[in-house]
Amino acid sequence: MVKKPLEIVLYGRKNCKLCDDVEQNIRALGELYPLNLQIVDIEKDPKLHETYMLVIPAVAIDGEVVLRSVSHVVTLAELDQELQRRTAK
């Protein structure tokens, strides 16, 4: 049975090295997990900019923001752990 891909949204902005790093990590994990990645530039939407400007990169999985870069940047290990948890269901 093929599992439905996880829908991942990465909230960030252009010229954000941390956002680029998290995107690379998600793409690398895409080799292990079925996923669809959407990149959202928060600067194109005032509401998103207000919501996420201090916590990017932020990652939503299946509509739920699960990782925000508040006190540290989202790591590959954190992403992997969350994807493992969600695909084990």
Side-chain angles (χ1 to χ4, degrees):
M1 180 171 117
V2 177
K3 289 197 175 198
K4 181 181 146 210
L6 297 167
E7 297 297 325
I8 299 182
V9 178
L10 172 60
Y11 295 96
R13 64 170 55 110
K14 291 192 182 304
N15 301 316
C16 169
K17 173 148 178 30
L18 300 177
C19 301
D20 294 342
D21 291 347
V22 172
E23 179 183 353
Q24 269 189 313
N25 288 340
I26 293 169
R27 291 192 186 282
L29 290 169
E31 300 293 320
L32 304 172
Y33 304 96
L35 59 87
N36 293 321
L37 174 61
Q38 177 187 1
I39 309 295
V40 175
D41 183 347
I42 65 167
E43 293 187 339
K44 294 186 177 187
D45 181 321
K47 186 174 180 181
L48 289 176
H49 187 263
E50 184 178 330
T51 301
Y52 294 109
M53 69 181 168
L54 299 177
V55 296
I56 61 167
V59 179
I61 302 175
D62 292 337
E64 175 188 3
V65 177
V66 293
L67 299 166
R68 292 179 174 95
S69 297
V70 177
S71 60
H72 69 284
V73 178
V74 175
T75 66
L76 178 63
E78 288 173 317
L79 288 164
D80 187 36
Q81 183 178 29
E82 184 63 27
L83 294 177
Q84 279 180 34
R85 186 179 73 76
R86 289 175 178 266
T87 56
K89 291 181 181 177

